[in-house]
């Protein structure tokens, strides 16, 4: 059933609030519910959208056998709302709200419209859930994560952007498709910004422990690297009406699991750097351990000069867009 926040029990299980009930947000809600990870609050400014999605998901629970045996039935909720007060006391808040890409658009083209949306969402959500971990999915991802940090006032380790996991999953899939092997046997790693300047690292990609350089030639690897960089645009062009949502939702769900269950999972995410990789005051994709406090630690890989230069070039683009966004918003850079 759908309930009002006034009767939401204080001793209910873990709660995840998803800001934005579009395709990414609603698919993420579905994954969390069907995997019995947490209760879900789905919020959207469009009247009735979040409520309708929540009701539809609630009705599907019996078919999907969504039961957490340790939690009484009366205390399991999927709740749709347009009121931030209903997100109170969330363990994790995920921001997916924003305008999606259209064919011919880059992620950076979304900067102005989505900056205002993300800043408002971060402020309002954290006002009601000051202890939450904040996950950002909205594009341009690394810039939006930085703005959410500024707006929320949270310690940087409690702000995480979903990027590297998605890009790595795409690289992983392309390698598996090329070699005709199970995707689960492939391990891939992508660093840098979530955009055209991302930095796939073939040296750190393996199939059942075997480096891909021993399984395909350099030309093939470079072709897959380029396809990975343009993977989001490829889907946008095919769909014509929006961007990817299955893989972004799956990646975010994995991050939510690692946080709620304190798994310390090692995965690439957009994290705040304070000197790691020679970068400061920036959110960008790097491998991190993700647990109950958010980013537990940043792993510094031993990069070649070429890889390091590519990462710094990627970071320069992010920093320029952070300055642009703050000028649009009238915010002085680095006010945290």
């Amino acid at each position: 059933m759908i309930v009002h926040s006034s009767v939401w029990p204080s001793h209910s299980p873990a709660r995840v609030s998803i800001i934005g009930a579009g395709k990414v947000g609603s698919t993420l809600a579905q994954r969390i519910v069907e995997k019995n990870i947490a209760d879900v609050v789905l919020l959207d400014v469009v009247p009735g959208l979040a409520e309708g999605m929540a009701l539809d998901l609630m009705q599907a629970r019996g078919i999907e056998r969504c039961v957490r045996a340790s939690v009484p039935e009366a205390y399991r909720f999927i709740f749709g709302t347009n009121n931030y007060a209903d997100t109170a006391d969330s363990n994790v808040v995920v921001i997916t709200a924003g305008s999606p890409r259209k064919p011919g658009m880059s992620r950076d083209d979304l900067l102005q419209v989505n900056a205002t949306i993300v800043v408002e969402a971060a402020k309002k959500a954290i006002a009601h859930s000051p202890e939450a971990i904040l996950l950002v999915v909205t594009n341009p991802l690394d810039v939006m994560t930085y703005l959410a940090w500024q707006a929320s006032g949270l310690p940087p380790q409690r702000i995480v952007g979903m990027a590297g996991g998605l890009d790595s999953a795409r690289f992983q899939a392309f390698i598996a498709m090329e070699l005709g092997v199970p995707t689960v046997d492939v391990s891939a790693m992508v660093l840098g910004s979530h955009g055209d300047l991302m930095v796939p690292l073939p040296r750190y990609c393996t199939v059942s422990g075997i480096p891909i350089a021993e399984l395909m030639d350099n030309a093939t690897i470079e072709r897959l690297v380029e396809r990975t960089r343009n993977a989001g645009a490829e889907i946008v062009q095919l769909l014509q009406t929006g961007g990817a949502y299955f893989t972004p939702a799956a990646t975010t769900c994995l991050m939510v699991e690692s946080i709620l269950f304190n798994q310390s999972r090692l995965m690439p995410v957009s994290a705040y750097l304070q000197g790691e990789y020679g970068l400061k005051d920036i959110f960008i994709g790097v491998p991190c351990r993700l647990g109950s406090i958010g980013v537990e630690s940043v792993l510094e890989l031993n990069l070649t000069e070429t890889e390091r230069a590519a990462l710094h070039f990627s970071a320069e683009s992010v920093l320029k867009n952070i300055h642009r966004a703050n000028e649009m918003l009238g915010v002085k850079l680095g006010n945290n």
Side-chain angles (χ1 to χ4, degrees), residues 42 49 58 69 76 86 98 122 128 139 153 175 239 259 265 268 305 320 332:
L42 194 56
L49 178 60
M58 182 65 83
R76 302 191 195 110
D86 294 323
H128 293 284
N139 280 317
I175 292 169
L239 294 178
I259 291 167
R265 184 184 293 272
E305 290 186 11
K320 287 179 182 178
K332 187 176 180 180

Side-chain angles (χ1 to χ4, degrees), residues 91-92 130-135 154-160 255-265 269 271-272 283 288-298:
N91 301 89
V92 177
E131 302 302 318
I133 305 297
L134 185 57
L135 302 186
L154 293 178
Q157 69 269 19
R158 285 173 53 195
I159 310 287
V160 191
M255 295 169 68
V256 170
E257 280 188 280
S258 191
I259 291 167
L260 291 182
F261 301 131
N262 197 27
Q263 293 175 336
S264 295
R265 184 184 293 272
V269 300
Y272 188 71
F283 279 85
C288 299
R289 286 196 176 276
L290 201 59
S292 60
I293 65 169
V295 175
E296 297 176 340
S297 62
V298 174

Side-chain angles (χ1 to χ4, degrees), residues 1-3 7-9 11-13 33 36 39 57-63 65-78:
M1 63 180 176
I2 307 301
V3 299
V7 296
W8 194 303
H11 56 290
S12 62
V33 168
N36 296 310
D39 289 337
L57 284 168
M58 182 65 83
Q59 292 167 354
R61 291 173 68 232
I63 299 171
R65 303 294 183 185
C66 300
V67 176
R68 294 209 302 279
S70 61
V71 182
E73 180 65 29
Y75 296 152
R76 302 191 195 110
F77 297 96
I78 308 161

Side-chain angles (χ1 to χ4, degrees), residues 3 17 63-64 68 109 129 151 157 172 175-176 183 190 211 230 242 265 276 328:
V3 299
S17 286
I63 299 171
E64 294 294 337
R68 294 209 302 279
D109 290 335
S129 300
Q157 69 269 19
Q172 175 190 31
I175 292 169
T183 309
V190 178
N230 296 296
R265 184 184 293 272
E276 299 91 344
M328 294 173 189

Side-chain angles (χ1 to χ4, degrees), residues 207-248:
V207 179
S208 296
I210 301 171
I212 62 171
E214 297 188 21
L215 301 172
M216 59 181 80
D217 58 33
N218 289 336
T220 301
I221 292 174
E222 186 56 34
R223 173 167 52 81
L224 299 183
V225 164
E226 284 304 307
R227 189 177 184 189
T228 300
R229 289 193 177 113
N230 296 296
E234 181 179 356
I235 291 176
V236 169
Q237 188 62 41
L238 290 167
L239 294 178
Q240 292 291 309
T241 57
Y245 53 96
F246 290 125
T247 312

Side-chain angles (χ1 to χ4, degrees), residues 12 46 51 59-60 67 102 123 132 138 234 246 285 335:
S12 62
V46 177
E51 293 90 336
Q59 292 167 354
V67 176
K102 297 178 177 63
K123 286 180 177 179
T138 306
E234 181 179 356
F246 290 125
N335 68 348

